[in-house]
Amino acid sequence: MNPWQIVREGYNPAEAADNGNRFLIGNGFMGIRGTLEEYRLENQVAINLAGVYDRAKNQTWREPVNAPNGLYASLENVGNIISHTQALDIRYGIHTRETMYTHAFLKISRFASMAEPNVIYQQIIVEPKNSPITLVCGIDADVWDINGPHLMDMHSEGGEVLKVSATTYEQNIPISTSETCNKPHDELRTMGHSIYRVFHIKEPFVLDRVITINAAPVFSTYESGLKPHKNTWETLWKNSQVKIIGDENAQLSLNYSMYHLHCIAPRHGDNVSIAARGLSGQVYKGAVFWDTEIFLMPFFTLTEPALARKLIHYRIHGLAGAYAKAKEYGFDGAFFPWESQDGGTEGCTDFNIVDVFTNRPVRTFFRDKQIHISGDMVYALCQYMDWTGDEKLWQDGGRTLTEACAKFYLSRAYQRVHRDTLEFTDVVGPDEYHERVDNNAFTNRMAAYTLEKAGMKHTVRKPRINNGIIEQFDGYFALEDISLDIVRSRLKHPKEYWGTQSGVAFATQIIKQADVMALVNLFPSEFSDEDVKKNWLYYEPRTEHGSSLSACMYALGACRFGRADLAYPFFLKSARADLDGGGKSWAGNVYIGGTHPAAAGGAYMIATQGFGGLRLNGNQPQLNPCLPESITALTFPFMFQGKPMEAHITREKHSIIS
Ligand code: BGC
């Protein structure tokens, strides 16, 4: 098995959406869905731009913008498909498709340059078999949007350079796609605003095309673009690669996860973060959730601290949005958006789901009640500072952020007259199927942590504990305690939403995702291995794992009590979320498909913190490994307080070398 190669044999149009995620390439500035070159908007083709948002005319929510597709290419009169292969080189982010038609062979390769953020290189090889073939390639201006259209005043130009330019509806942000190539075309063809070159091909033919997004056209060849691109990838892998000996599937799956994290890291922009669906399209409004701070930060903190700092900085910069949100609800301080967009503004609406039975919007409370979000920011900031030693960030806005979040919690807290503890009532914890609950254990701990870090002396209500099991929120243990299968059997529609008051999970102990398990993992020193075990055994059978964020927390938990065998399937589930595809694509009637960066980040956490057991003990990194049977050795580089280190783990011994 080649641990750097993803291959899919055979042509199956029904897989177009999954392949769009599976074969994604990207360079942080943009993500290019892994769709075939001849596909158009109905197959969810997208060149998705990081951090560029727009609200289209008469639409309620904003979403990121897709650029006109400069990668379009198709052959005319080639007959039927005889064989077809789609492949992705995940070491260097190179996408290739090879198709044998009745009358020609076609191979197209492409990569989004890691060295030149605005540039995509494409090489088209056509070998006619017995008759001349026509190649049509250019810029498809019909852009796929979920809540569009976003591109106004579109116009196109053709000549030595092809160009389609437009401006966004809301803020007039200029968007352009340009294309150059290294051979003269036979004719130009236009369709609406789309513009194509046409080549009549009789001999084997190689065409290099360079596509630039929001930048001047580049005249170059595929080969000359490849070298700096590969060199940049080499450096990224040198600083991050986790080497797994003994288990090729685990190695491939983890490489794949880390490939995705590198593809979506916003290295080039300021005040940009990472969306919950990465750069795979407009799903979830291109918004940044707690996913970034809790599930992605460990990867970047350990392998690319400068980028981790940028991610925190996005939140510091976004404080104005968090102040505005707190004020909107009558609170003080900073209440961070549940779905953060450009400038840290809230993108989440009150009605996130459409009921499949009535087709009416359903009130959800993620925006106003999922208050752990502010504490998650403080947690990520402090973890970052502990690992990197970057105390300066505290002065550069970290302290302000922490104090503002603490202020928010104080103004949001509830205190009974004769008690001195603070409570947090009417909240939503990580388990979104139980909305408007009191004293969610995870939320209370995050609030307490924030108050501690801000230097405030307040006691927050601790969770109830029954035989070592932490009650997820007040009254949880009294809910109907039935199996996941029974709850599933009560569904009346396959796309029905499980949460909200009328949902199948609401009155039961069935939860959407790790909640208590997230708590015990994020605060490891406060829970013994035995505590973790008891809670794992209780909550895991009651968890639907309806979010891709869930598996990682259960894998980490299982490693705590030495059960790598229980952790391993959750590791594969996390690492292969986008490789295997087929995850949840619908919440009610809303499409939520796309890539799952938090699962990818989770896979890295499992490998390093779970299997490797990497943790800070006081001020020193230490290992407490729990290797699955199939893995004989594990090594990985990481940065600690400005110094490169390397963890070496086998079943017999382990060490950290600096
Ligand atoms: C999960 C959230 C998560 C969001 C974005 C939801 O399904 O419940 O915890 O932040 O997806 O990934």
Side-chain angles (χ1 to χ4, degrees):
M1 184 190 287
N2 177 348
W4 298 104
Q5 191 77 9
I6 308 299
V7 184
R8 213 83 180 168
E9 303 278 355
Y11 180 73
N12 181 3
E15 282 211 309
D18 266 358
N19 282 342
N21 302 321
R22 186 176 288 128
F23 290 102
L24 181 119
I25 56 171
N27 62 6
F29 173 80
M30 60 187 148
I32 298 155
R33 287 180 59 80
T35 46
L36 300 180
E37 287 73 12
E38 63 273 31
Y39 282 178
R40 295 185 186 271
L41 75 170
E42 59 279 5
N43 284 118
Q44 300 170 320
V45 172
I47 298 181
N48 187 240
L49 303 181
V52 185
Y53 295 84
D54 181 65
R55 186 198 307 272
K57 193 175 176 181
N58 299 331
Q59 295 286 8
T60 45
W61 72 62
R62 308 173 79 224
E63 64 184 12
V65 170
N66 292 330
N69 174 26
L71 290 158
Y72 181 85
S74 70
L75 297 181
E76 290 181 347
N77 306 321
V78 272
N80 299 325
I81 293 174
I82 294 166
S83 63
H84 174 79
T85 308
Q86 191 170 359
L88 183 64
D89 170 342
I90 54 173
R91 188 170 188 98
Y92 299 118
I94 302 171
H95 175 278
T96 311
R97 66 83 63 87
E98 289 186 21
T99 311
M100 184 63 83
Y101 296 94
T102 320
H103 303 303
F105 168 73
L106 173 70
K107 176 175 180 184
I108 307 182
S109 308
R110 65 183 187 226
F111 61 90
S113 173
M114 268 294 178
E116 303 161 274
N118 307 64
V119 187
I120 313 163
Y121 289 82
Q122 185 190 52
Q123 184 170 70
I124 305 178
I125 299 176
V126 183
E127 290 169 10
K129 279 200 213 159
N130 31 38
S131 51
I133 294 295
T134 302
L135 166 69
V136 180
C137 56
I139 307 175
D140 180 357
D142 291 333
V143 171
W144 171 50
D145 283 320
I146 293 181
N147 252 308
H150 300 289
L151 301 184
M152 303 290 121
D153 302 325
M154 197 176 260
H155 67 272
S156 45
E157 304 156 35
E160 199 186 3
V161 176
L162 303 185
K163 184 168 180 182
V164 173
S165 42
T167 51
T168 59
Y169 176 75
E170 190 186 12
Q171 292 173 5
N172 293 320
I173 302 168
I175 304 290
S176 68
T177 301
S178 305
E179 182 256 24
T180 61
C181 71
N182 65 347
K183 284 203 166 67
H185 52 254
D186 295 317
E187 38 180 296
L188 277 181
R189 195 184 283 178
T190 53
M191 267 168 59
H193 293 295
S194 303
I195 181 152
Y196 305 104
R197 301 178 196 276
V198 179
F199 297 88
H200 301 295
I201 301 168
K202 296 195 187 85
E203 303 287 324
F205 177 87
V206 181
L207 182 71
D208 288 1
R209 303 174 67 220
V210 188
I211 292 104
T212 47
I213 308 294
N214 292 352
V218 168
F219 294 85
S220 181
T221 60
Y222 189 84
E223 261 330 292
S224 42
L226 197 55
K227 204 164 181 255
H229 167 76
K230 279 188 159 183
N231 287 345
T232 313
W233 269 108
E234 286 290 354
T235 308
L236 294 176
W237 286 120
K238 185 171 157 284
N239 297 335
S240 64
Q241 196 199 337
V242 178
K243 290 188 184 138
I244 294 178
I245 310 293
D247 187 333
E248 289 182 341
N249 183 30
Q251 179 72 79
L252 169 84
S253 309
L254 186 60
N255 287 348
Y256 182 73
S257 295
M258 292 167 66
Y259 161 78
H260 270 277
L261 297 173
H262 285 309
C263 283
I264 57 177
R267 299 192 175 82
H268 317 289
D270 282 329
N271 304 322
V272 186
S273 186
I274 300 177
R277 290 289 182 261
L279 293 172
S280 65
Q282 293 158 322
V283 165
Y284 279 173
K285 305 162 193 147
V288 184
F289 290 63
W290 70 312
D291 306 30
T292 305
E293 281 67 26
I294 302 299
F295 297 84
L296 305 186
M297 275 298 283
F299 173 73
F300 292 112
T301 301
L302 291 178
T303 64
E304 205 176 338
L307 197 111
R309 192 181 216 272
K310 262 192 169 186
L311 297 178
I312 299 282
H313 197 264
Y314 165 81
R315 295 298 192 170
I316 293 172
H317 179 80
L319 268 168
Y323 292 141
K325 181 172 167 185
K327 201 163 165 207
E328 180 190 333
Y329 289 107
F331 301 119
D332 302 334
F335 182 9
F336 274 92
W338 181 242
E339 300 181 10
S340 183
Q341 296 183 323
D342 45 341
T345 50
E346 176 65 276
C348 190
T349 50
D350 285 344
F351 298 87
N352 263 269
I353 282 160
V354 176
D355 179 58
V356 288
F357 303 108
T358 60
N359 223 17
R360 289 187 192 128
V362 179
R363 177 70 160 96
T364 47
F365 294 88
F366 315 141
R367 184 189 204 271
D368 34 350
K369 310 286 181 192
Q370 208 155 160
I371 61 167
H372 66 80
I373 186 78
S374 287
D376 302 337
M377 304 301 128
V378 176
Y379 184 89
L381 164 77
C382 296
Q383 288 288 311
Y384 164 84
M385 289 196 324
D386 286 350
W387 280 95
T388 59
D390 180 2
E391 302 287 329
K392 198 166 166 288
L393 189 55
W394 188 247
Q395 306 311 327
D396 293 349
R399 176 208 288 266
T400 309
L401 181 143
T402 305
E403 289 175 354
C405 292
K407 251 188 176 169
F408 162 67
Y409 282 124
L410 277 189
S411 70
R412 177 63 167 73
Y414 166 86
Q415 191 173 352
R416 292 167 205 259
V417 175
H418 298 296
R419 299 218 184 123
D420 55 6
T421 55
L422 301 181
E423 300 185 35
F424 290 92
T425 56
D426 197 9
V427 303
V428 182
D431 160 31
E432 293 179 344
Y433 288 167
H434 294 91
E435 294 184 307
R436 312 199 67 171
V437 299
D438 294 343
N439 293 311
N440 167 257
F442 179 90
T443 305
N444 280 21
R445 185 64 193 96
M446 277 299 177
Y449 180 87
T450 304
L451 295 170
E452 277 155 41
K453 292 293 174 185
M456 296 183 184
K457 293 199 174 10
H458 289 277
T459 313
V460 176
R461 240 283 308 277
K462 297 247 167 31
R464 298 201 180 101
I465 297 183
N466 189 0
N467 278 330
I469 319 287
I470 299 162
E471 190 174 41
Q472 189 178 291
F473 53 81
D474 290 354
Y476 172 84
F477 289 143
L479 295 175
E480 189 185 10
D481 193 13
I482 45 162
S483 74
L484 198 48
D485 282 345
I486 296 182
V487 167
R488 202 171 268 126
S489 73
R490 291 177 180 171
L491 288 170
K492 293 191 161 52
H493 189 291
K495 289 184 193 165
E496 188 181 337
Y497 183 61
W498 292 36
T500 73
Q501 301 213 356
S502 57
V504 284
F506 187 74
T508 77
Q509 292 193 27
I510 296 302
I511 62 173
K512 178 178 179 185
Q513 65 197 86
D515 193 313
V516 166
M517 208 31 56
L519 166 72
V520 299
N521 284 315
L522 296 189
F523 297 93
S525 61
E526 295 170 20
F527 302 94
S528 70
D529 296 353
E530 190 54 29
D531 291 337
V532 177
K533 182 177 178 181
K534 278 190 172 164
N535 282 281
W536 197 101
L537 293 174
Y538 187 83
Y539 281 105
E540 198 289 318
R542 291 168 177 78
T543 306
E544 188 226 349
H545 300 293
S547 159
S548 63
L549 277 56
S550 196
C552 130
M553 289 297 172
Y554 280 96
L556 288 172
C559 289
R560 274 291 300 279
F561 56 95
R563 289 292 302 272
D565 59 320
L566 293 178
Y568 187 75
F570 286 111
F571 165 71
L572 284 186
K573 196 171 170 193
S574 252
R576 299 183 62 88
D578 296 318
L579 206 46
D580 294 338
K584 253 194 189 176
S585 294
W586 298 93
N589 277 338
V590 180
Y591 179 68
I592 55 167
T595 58
H596 299 83
Y604 178 80
M605 285 162 81
I606 301 164
T608 54
Q609 301 174 8
F611 300 158
L614 177 66
R615 207 177 299 156
L616 275 187
N617 184 10
N619 195 24
Q620 279 312 309
Q622 69 166 37
L623 300 169
N624 186 12
C626 177
L627 286 183
E629 218 172 80
S630 55
I631 298 179
T632 48
L634 188 69
T635 39
F636 55 90
F638 67 95
M639 292 295 291
F640 174 65
Q641 304 201 340
K643 289 189 251 21
M645 310 234 158
E646 203 161 73
H648 289 262
I649 299 153
T650 63
R651 224 169 289 286
E652 293 74 39
K653 54 180 195 251
H654 54 262
S655 59
I656 293 176
I657 299 169
S658 55

